[in-house]
Amino acid sequence: MTAESSIGMQFLTFLESVPDRTEHIHILTDSDADGLPAATILLKALRQAGYVNTTAEVRLKFESAWSPTVFNRLTTTAPDALIIADLGSRSDPVLLNVPTLLLDHHRPSGTPPGATLITAYRESNSEKATSDIPTTGLMAFKCAEALLPLQHDQFLWLAAISLLSDLGDKAPFVELGMAKKEYGSAALRDLTSLLNAPRRSARGDASSALELLMLSTSPKQILTSTDSRIVELRDQLLSDKAEVAEALSLARKLPPRFSTILRDELGANLVAIRMHERILKQHQQKGVAKD
Ligand SMILES: [Mn+2]
């Protein structure tokens, strides 16, 4: 059995802890263009497989799966089972006595008590080998394939976005080439950059990106649809993208600050660039940021 087909097998084994398909499965995912498609694939696949009460949420800025704010929300949501995607793995509990699956590709630092960890991570000593580790979106695609063997092709574009986002255009997975052929490289690339905008904005809430993915069946639909809800969500992401671009363009004009305080620890001088938008605007007004 290959490592990637075993991802699907492990996922089906976890679902045995949810014997009644009307139970509430809740997905918590990362806010980037790997976590967002991963949650979309899982949510769509589980609902199509009959797990009708499946829901999802995106972590907010500065949150991890172990943050008190996340714990409070999850306690209120009170799901029967929990899936945590692309948010790492630690030995601390998330929700005790709730069947929990962690789906992830980062180096694990433990597994919460009673939880299942499906990890694609493997140790390697070369950078090239690290780029061979599947993304969480690709792992979710393997889970969907195990759950819906004849219907998982509909999720290919979502897996491809996760590959572009985490591993770039040269990611060594056949799914990326197949998706480019079917959906177009430019549309996949444009959508990936749009999906990564909300988490970088001051608002930092990528819920609109998740909803947009849930409503859509292809990248082109998201980029060109005239459906009023899709237009509204797309505009939200475009304005996040413009906000981030503006903040970056201000930051680029600032001279870096050099610090020697951490030289011994880092083995090099530390270079800091201030990125806080309000501070950047003050600098700009004072003329400090002039070219
Ligand atoms: Mn990831």
Side-chain angles (χ1 to χ4, degrees):
M1 199 192 312
T2 67
E4 283 167 35
S5 75
S6 89
I7 290 171
M9 296 301 295
Q10 292 175 79
F11 182 64
L12 295 184
T13 303
F14 170 75
L15 286 178
E16 288 170 12
S17 62
V18 192
D20 178 353
R21 294 196 183 203
T22 64
E23 283 185 60
H24 180 188
I25 302 177
H26 188 62
I27 301 163
L28 170 73
T29 198
D30 193 15
S31 52
D32 69 359
D34 180 23
L36 292 165
T40 307
I41 293 171
L42 294 170
L43 187 50
K44 287 188 177 191
L46 284 165
R47 284 182 181 170
Q48 287 178 29
Y51 295 89
V52 287
N53 293 316
T54 304
T55 54
E57 70 171 276
V58 188
R59 74 150 174 129
L60 299 174
K61 209 163 188 155
F62 307 123
E63 282 181 344
S64 80
W66 290 267
S67 298
T69 48
V70 170
F71 178 75
N72 289 340
R73 288 202 304 277
L74 292 178
T75 306
T76 306
T77 305
D80 299 308
L82 182 64
I83 299 176
I84 298 173
D86 200 31
L87 286 171
S89 173
R90 302 184 198 164
S91 53
D92 308 310
V94 182
L95 272 187
L96 274 174
N97 304 319
V98 174
T100 299
L101 169 68
L102 292 97
L103 193 69
D104 194 55
H105 62 146
H106 303 96
R107 182 201 295 265
S109 55
T111 307
T116 301
L117 168 66
I118 306 181
T119 176
Y121 182 79
R122 56 179 177 267
E123 291 290 341
S124 71
N125 39 25
S126 80
E127 203 174 298
K128 190 192 163 299
T130 314
S131 76
D132 289 353
I133 297 176
T135 54
T136 309
L138 185 59
M139 295 176 73
F141 185 68
K142 302 290 171 188
C143 295
E145 181 177 19
L147 196 59
L148 304 166
L150 303 174
Q151 291 154 258
H152 71 290
D153 283 354
Q154 61 181 306
F155 307 124
L156 182 66
W157 61 284
L158 291 158
I161 286 168
S162 78
L163 291 167
L164 281 176
S165 181
D166 270 18
L167 302 176
D169 197 43
K170 303 253 179 300
F173 294 95
V174 290
E175 288 83 358
L176 182 56
M178 286 159 63
K180 280 183 183 175
K181 227 175 187 174
E182 191 168 342
Y183 298 98
S185 297
L188 285 165
R189 206 177 42 236
D190 291 351
L191 181 54
T192 304
S193 122
L194 204 55
L195 293 170
N196 273 321
R199 76 185 174 102
R200 294 176 179 148
S201 71
R203 197 170 54 93
D205 180 357
S207 315
S208 45
L210 180 63
E211 187 184 342
L212 190 56
L213 290 177
M214 283 303 294
L215 287 175
S216 310
T217 53
S218 78
K220 277 198 181 122
Q221 184 194 9
I222 293 179
L223 298 169
T224 62
S225 173
T226 54
D227 171 87
S228 62
R229 185 62 184 152
I230 292 183
V231 169
E232 195 180 333
L233 293 165
R234 185 176 65 216
D235 285 351
Q236 175 71 66
L237 267 54
L238 285 166
S239 95
D240 287 337
K241 196 175 168 179
E243 177 197 317
V244 175
E246 196 203 336
L248 275 175
S249 79
L250 293 176
R252 281 200 188 98
K253 292 176 186 164
L254 284 178
R257 302 173 134 224
F258 294 89
S259 165
T260 50
I261 295 170
L262 294 174
R263 185 188 296 185
D264 289 343
E265 194 181 325
L266 298 174
N269 290 334
L270 185 70
V271 180
I273 298 169
R274 304 186 85 162
M275 293 287 287
H276 194 291
E277 203 182 351
R278 183 173 49 77
I279 295 167
L280 291 170
K281 283 194 173 141
Q282 284 167 1
H283 275 269
Q284 193 185 41
Q285 278 154 13
K286 286 188 213 148
V288 177
K290 275 192 188 131
D291 292 280

